[in-house]
PDB file of all heavy atoms in Angstrom:
ATOM      1  N   ARG G 301      21.010   1.397  -0.068  1.00 91.00           N
ATOM      2  CA  ARG G 301      20.271   0.247  -0.589  1.00 91.00           C
ATOM      3  C   ARG G 301      19.447  -0.351   0.527  1.00 91.00           C
ATOM      4  O   ARG G 301      19.834  -0.327   1.686  1.00 91.00           O
ATOM      5  CB  ARG G 301      21.233  -0.779  -1.151  1.00 91.00           C
ATOM      6  CG  ARG G 301      21.983  -0.261  -2.362  1.00 91.00           C
ATOM      7  CD  ARG G 301      22.905  -1.313  -2.925  1.00 91.00           C
ATOM      8  NE  ARG G 301      22.210  -2.533  -3.300  1.00 91.00           N
ATOM      9  CZ  ARG G 301      21.684  -2.764  -4.497  1.00 91.00           C
ATOM     10  NH1 ARG G 301      21.784  -1.843  -5.422  1.00 91.00           N
ATOM     11  NH2 ARG G 301      21.088  -3.899  -4.768  1.00 91.00           N
ATOM     12  N   LEU G 302      18.300  -0.903   0.177  1.00 88.00           N
ATOM     13  CA  LEU G 302      17.440  -1.545   1.158  1.00 88.00           C
ATOM     14  C   LEU G 302      17.956  -2.948   1.459  1.00 88.00           C
ATOM     15  O   LEU G 302      18.428  -3.648   0.564  1.00 88.00           O
ATOM     16  CB  LEU G 302      16.008  -1.652   0.629  1.00 88.00           C
ATOM     17  CG  LEU G 302      15.276  -0.340   0.386  1.00 88.00           C
ATOM     18  CD1 LEU G 302      13.931  -0.615  -0.256  1.00 88.00           C
ATOM     19  CD2 LEU G 302      15.094   0.422   1.677  1.00 88.00           C
ATOM     20  N   SER G 303      17.838  -3.342   2.721  1.00 93.00           N
ATOM     21  CA  SER G 303      18.204  -4.704   3.080  1.00 93.00           C
ATOM     22  C   SER G 303      17.087  -5.649   2.634  1.00 93.00           C
ATOM     23  O   SER G 303      15.994  -5.215   2.279  1.00 93.00           O
ATOM     24  CB  SER G 303      18.419  -4.808   4.583  1.00 93.00           C
ATOM     25  OG  SER G 303      17.184  -4.683   5.267  1.00 93.00           O
ATOM     26  N   GLY G 304      17.360  -6.915   2.667  1.00 90.00           N
ATOM     27  CA  GLY G 304      16.358  -7.907   2.281  1.00 90.00           C
ATOM     28  C   GLY G 304      15.125  -7.833   3.170  1.00 90.00           C
ATOM     29  O   GLY G 304      13.997  -7.971   2.707  1.00 90.00           O
ATOM     30  N   LYS G 305      15.337  -7.604   4.470  1.00 94.00           N
ATOM     31  CA  LYS G 305      14.220  -7.491   5.406  1.00 94.00           C
ATOM     32  C   LYS G 305      13.356  -6.272   5.102  1.00 94.00           C
ATOM     33  O   LYS G 305      12.134  -6.340   5.149  1.00 94.00           O
ATOM     34  CB  LYS G 305      14.757  -7.354   6.832  1.00 94.00           C
ATOM     35  CG  LYS G 305      14.430  -8.465   7.735  1.00 94.00           C
ATOM     36  CD  LYS G 305      14.983  -8.189   9.112  1.00 94.00           C
ATOM     37  CE  LYS G 305      14.770  -9.394   9.975  1.00 94.00           C
ATOM     38  NZ  LYS G 305      15.314  -9.256  11.287  1.00 94.00           N
ATOM     39  N   GLN G 306      13.985  -5.162   4.787  1.00 94.00           N
ATOM     40  CA  GLN G 306      13.243  -3.940   4.465  1.00 94.00           C
ATOM     41  C   GLN G 306      12.455  -4.114   3.179  1.00 94.00           C
ATOM     42  O   GLN G 306      11.292  -3.717   3.090  1.00 94.00           O
ATOM     43  CB  GLN G 306      14.206  -2.755   4.327  1.00 94.00           C
ATOM     44  CG  GLN G 306      14.809  -2.319   5.629  1.00 94.00           C
ATOM     45  CD  GLN G 306      15.900  -1.293   5.426  1.00 94.00           C
ATOM     46  OE1 GLN G 306      16.665  -1.353   4.461  1.00 94.00           O
ATOM     47  NE2 GLN G 306      15.990  -0.343   6.336  1.00 94.00           N
ATOM     48  N   ARG G 307      13.073  -4.707   2.179  1.00 95.00           N
ATOM     49  CA  ARG G 307      12.394  -4.942   0.902  1.00 95.00           C
ATOM     50  C   ARG G 307      11.192  -5.863   1.101  1.00 95.00           C
ATOM     51  O   ARG G 307      10.105  -5.617   0.582  1.00 95.00           O
ATOM     52  CB  ARG G 307      13.371  -5.535  -0.104  1.00 95.00           C
ATOM     53  CG  ARG G 307      12.817  -5.625  -1.509  1.00 95.00           C
ATOM     54  CD  ARG G 307      13.851  -6.100  -2.524  1.00 95.00           C
ATOM     55  NE  ARG G 307      14.919  -5.103  -2.671  1.00 95.00           N
ATOM     56  CZ  ARG G 307      16.190  -5.310  -2.334  1.00 95.00           C
ATOM     57  NH1 ARG G 307      16.579  -6.464  -1.836  1.00 95.00           N
ATOM     58  NH2 ARG G 307      17.094  -4.375  -2.495  1.00 95.00           N
ATOM     59  N   LYS G 308      11.373  -6.917   1.897  1.00 96.00           N
ATOM     60  CA  LYS G 308      10.283  -7.854   2.178  1.00 96.00           C
ATOM     61  C   LYS G 308       9.144  -7.162   2.916  1.00 96.00           C
ATOM     62  O   LYS G 308       7.969  -7.392   2.613  1.00 96.00           O
ATOM     63  CB  LYS G 308      10.824  -9.017   3.006  1.00 96.00           C
ATOM     64  CG  LYS G 308       9.858 -10.138   3.205  1.00 96.00           C
ATOM     65  CD  LYS G 308      10.519 -11.292   3.953  1.00 96.00           C
ATOM     66  CE  LYS G 308       9.553 -12.425   4.160  1.00 96.00           C
ATOM     67  NZ  LYS G 308      10.181 -13.545   4.872  1.00 96.00           N
ATOM     68  N   ALA G 309       9.464  -6.279   3.854  1.00 96.00           N
ATOM     69  CA  ALA G 309       8.438  -5.545   4.599  1.00 96.00           C
ATOM     70  C   ALA G 309       7.659  -4.600   3.685  1.00 96.00           C
ATOM     71  O   ALA G 309       6.431  -4.486   3.796  1.00 96.00           O
ATOM     72  CB  ALA G 309       9.073  -4.769   5.742  1.00 96.00           C
ATOM     73  N   ILE G 310       8.345  -3.937   2.777  1.00 96.00           N
ATOM     74  CA  ILE G 310       7.677  -3.018   1.840  1.00 96.00           C
ATOM     75  C   ILE G 310       6.758  -3.799   0.903  1.00 96.00           C
ATOM     76  O   ILE G 310       5.620  -3.387   0.651  1.00 96.00           O
ATOM     77  CB  ILE G 310       8.717  -2.198   1.048  1.00 96.00           C
ATOM     78  CG1 ILE G 310       9.390  -1.195   1.982  1.00 96.00           C
ATOM     79  CG2 ILE G 310       8.069  -1.489  -0.134  1.00 96.00           C
ATOM     80  CD1 ILE G 310      10.567  -0.485   1.379  1.00 96.00           C
ATOM     81  N   ILE G 311       7.218  -4.919   0.398  1.00 96.00           N
ATOM     82  CA  ILE G 311       6.391  -5.733  -0.503  1.00 96.00           C
ATOM     83  C   ILE G 311       5.172  -6.273   0.234  1.00 96.00           C
ATOM     84  O   ILE G 311       4.051  -6.218  -0.273  1.00 96.00           O
ATOM     85  CB  ILE G 311       7.230  -6.870  -1.128  1.00 96.00           C
ATOM     86  CG1 ILE G 311       8.253  -6.279  -2.104  1.00 96.00           C
ATOM     87  CG2 ILE G 311       6.352  -7.885  -1.830  1.00 96.00           C
ATOM     88  CD1 ILE G 311       9.284  -7.251  -2.603  1.00 96.00           C
ATOM     89  N   ALA G 312       5.379  -6.781   1.459  1.00 97.00           N
ATOM     90  CA  ALA G 312       4.254  -7.308   2.241  1.00 97.00           C
ATOM     91  C   ALA G 312       3.250  -6.203   2.558  1.00 97.00           C
ATOM     92  O   ALA G 312       2.032  -6.417   2.471  1.00 97.00           O
ATOM     93  CB  ALA G 312       4.771  -7.943   3.528  1.00 97.00           C
ATOM     94  N   GLY G 313       3.725  -5.029   2.903  1.00 97.00           N
ATOM     95  CA  GLY G 313       2.827  -3.905   3.176  1.00 97.00           C
ATOM     96  C   GLY G 313       2.050  -3.481   1.950  1.00 97.00           C
ATOM     97  O   GLY G 313       0.854  -3.165   2.029  1.00 97.00           O
ATOM     98  N   THR G 314       2.702  -3.482   0.807  1.00 97.00           N
ATOM     99  CA  THR G 314       2.036  -3.117  -0.445  1.00 97.00           C
ATOM    100  C   THR G 314       0.945  -4.131  -0.806  1.00 97.00           C
ATOM    101  O   THR G 314      -0.165  -3.753  -1.189  1.00 97.00           O
ATOM    102  CB  THR G 314       3.063  -3.027  -1.592  1.00 97.00           C
ATOM    103  OG1 THR G 314       4.051  -2.052  -1.248  1.00 97.00           O
ATOM    104  CG2 THR G 314       2.410  -2.648  -2.898  1.00 97.00           C
ATOM    105  N   ILE G 315       1.259  -5.408  -0.645  1.00 98.00           N
ATOM    106  CA  ILE G 315       0.256  -6.448  -0.927  1.00 98.00           C
ATOM    107  C   ILE G 315      -0.911  -6.323   0.036  1.00 98.00           C
ATOM    108  O   ILE G 315      -2.078  -6.393  -0.369  1.00 98.00           O
ATOM    109  CB  ILE G 315       0.902  -7.846  -0.864  1.00 98.00           C
ATOM    110  CG1 ILE G 315       1.859  -8.036  -2.036  1.00 98.00           C
ATOM    111  CG2 ILE G 315      -0.163  -8.944  -0.858  1.00 98.00           C
ATOM    112  CD1 ILE G 315       2.720  -9.271  -1.935  1.00 98.00           C
ATOM    113  N   GLY G 316      -0.637  -6.135   1.315  1.00 97.00           N
ATOM    114  CA  GLY G 316      -1.700  -5.981   2.302  1.00 97.00           C
ATOM    115  C   GLY G 316      -2.580  -4.784   2.019  1.00 97.00           C
ATOM    116  O   GLY G 316      -3.808  -4.849   2.132  1.00 97.00           O
ATOM    117  N   ASN G 317      -1.972  -3.673   1.661  1.00 97.00           N
ATOM    118  CA  ASN G 317      -2.727  -2.462   1.340  1.00 97.00           C
ATOM    119  C   ASN G 317      -3.601  -2.679   0.104  1.00 97.00           C
ATOM    120  O   ASN G 317      -4.763  -2.259   0.066  1.00 97.00           O
ATOM    121  CB  ASN G 317      -1.765  -1.297   1.114  1.00 97.00           C
ATOM    122  CG  ASN G 317      -2.471   0.031   1.053  1.00 97.00           C
ATOM    123  OD1 ASN G 317      -3.572   0.184   1.548  1.00 97.00           O
ATOM    124  ND2 ASN G 317      -1.823   1.004   0.438  1.00 97.00           N
TER     125      ASN G 317
END
Side-chain angles (χ1 to χ4, degrees):
R301 295 182 58 90
L302 295 175
S303 70
K305 245 182 186 177
Q306 290 172 323
R307 188 175 294 115
K308 188 176 180 180
I310 290 171
I311 291 170
T314 301
I315 291 170
N317 192 22

